[in-house]
Amino acid sequence: EPEVTQTPSHQVTQMGQEVILRCVPISNHLYFYWYRQILGQKVEFLVSFYNNEISEKSEIFDDQFSVERPDGSNFTLKIRSTKLEDSAMYFCASSEQRALYEQYFGPGTRLTVT
Amino acid sequence: GESVGLHLPTLSVQEGDNSIINCAYSNSASDYFIWYKQESGKGPQFIIDIRSNMDKRQGQRVTVLLNKTVKHLSLQIAATQPGDSAVYFCAEAINQAGTALIFGKGTTLSVSS
């Protein structure tokens, strides 16, 4: 069964450093998403992406965040200057282009900012 | 404010019992609801969804009930098994491709043998 993959599984970085989290969505999916989950809390939407553009973003997704689809398979989330409060699990998800949809989630990248 | 939430943070059941996990939502515009299961160290896994024009939908051992009058969603798991132990999240969305899912806080289901 096709699945969303994410790398790395765990990323440790120092405050102020840039990080790039990588995702490979399911191949025939056209919508891509990033969510985050701070330890013990609910999953929070960050951004959705379609046709090489951001479709929707939350207030969490400020100027420090950016997304990119650099090629036909990868979808990345960049945090320009990490803060301690960026420590969380970051989940990538993808869905087909249809009105009723399932969003399939990857296993997540645990980001630890020290 | 929080759009979606769950009534109980934890639920403990015996193997073989039926489990009911509840969720309240507040956005009247939401018309698509989903239950996800999250096991430790993994991403959310889709369980079942329901549209707002339905009040009940059944899957394998799971049933989702939607009461739009009181904005309430529940997930029923029949004959709960130890493998069902996980955190369960309800999520809501407006029925549109690419729309963000808004998750509730989650209920931790613990199944003892």
Side-chain angles (χ1 to χ4, degrees), chain A residues 19-20 27 29 31 36 65 68 76 82 91 93 98 104 108:
Chain A
V19 293
I20 297 176
S27 61
H29 286 187
Y31 282 90
R36 78 172 187 190
F65 292 87
E68 191 179 26
T76 63
T82 51
F91 294 106
R98 55 191 176 100
Y104 292 84

Side-chain angles (χ1 to χ4, degrees), chain B residues 99-110:
Chain B
T99 298
L101 292 175
I102 307 300
F103 282 79
K105 281 186 177 178
T107 290
T108 300
L109 176 65
S110 299

Side-chain angles (χ1 to χ4, degrees), chain B residues 47-86:
Chain B
I47 302 173
I48 192 168
D49 59 2
I50 188 167
R51 312 180 200 187
S52 60
N53 62 352
M54 304 169 70
D55 53 22
K56 181 179 180 179
R57 190 164 186 222
Q58 288 184 289
Q60 188 177 12
R61 279 201 308 118
V62 294
T63 301
V64 56
L65 300 177
L66 176 63
N67 185 331
K68 294 182 290 296
T69 303
V70 294
K71 296 178 188 170
H72 184 267
L73 190 69
S74 69
L75 176 70
Q76 299 177 1
I77 305 173
T80 315
Q81 301 168 0
D84 294 327
S85 294

